[in-house]
Amino acid sequence: MEPIRCCIACRAKKTKENFFRIVANDEKKAILDKKQNSNSRGIYICRDKKCIENALKAITKNKLKLKINVDNQSLVEVLKELGEEIWEN
Ligand SMILES: [Zn+2]
């Protein structure tokens, strides 16, 4: 059985292939873990622009609770990049 992950925005539970995975590096900067194989603790978000928008809103309102220690500004940048990727496809 694949481990089940949970979206930081909508809390949907799915296997990790359904998500983007974001990890924090040693400087607490958010980085997209494209191959999903980094040993760092990660957070997951649906490959869905609605979830990305909602996560961005929650960060702005300081309402996003995360299990990893990550710099908010760098997380915003990663999410915006992911958003643009989805918009274009
Ligand atoms: Zn979601």
Side-chain angles (χ1 to χ4, degrees):
M1 270 287 284
E2 276 279 320
I4 299 296
R5 312 297 184 188
C6 178
C7 172
I8 58 168
C10 71
R11 303 281 161 195
K13 292 182 170 63
K14 305 175 211 173
T15 54
K16 63 182 184 179
E17 315 78 56
N18 295 292
F19 293 119
F20 290 119
R21 183 173 197 257
I22 299 166
V23 297
N25 70 7
D26 292 340
E27 283 87 46
K28 296 178 187 170
K29 293 267 183 244
I31 297 166
L32 177 65
D33 180 15
K34 278 189 180 157
K35 292 181 176 167
Q36 302 203 351
N37 59 4
S38 159
N39 286 325
S40 314
R41 292 194 67 179
I43 52 175
Y44 295 84
I45 186 159
C46 298
R47 296 172 180 267
D48 184 322
K49 64 179 178 180
K50 200 80 209 158
C51 285
I52 290 172
E53 279 172 7
N54 287 339
L56 285 168
K57 277 185 209 157
I59 293 169
T60 315
K61 293 178 187 162
N62 228 342
K63 281 184 174 168
L64 198 65
K65 302 262 185 294
L66 298 175
K67 289 177 185 166
I68 64 170
N69 197 355
V70 62
D71 170 65
N72 270 352
Q73 190 51 45
S74 66
L75 183 57
V76 165
E77 282 164 23
V78 169
L79 289 173
K80 282 184 174 164
E81 274 174 36
L82 291 177
E84 278 160 25
E85 242 174 68
I86 296 174
W87 280 215
E88 282 163 16
N89 292 333

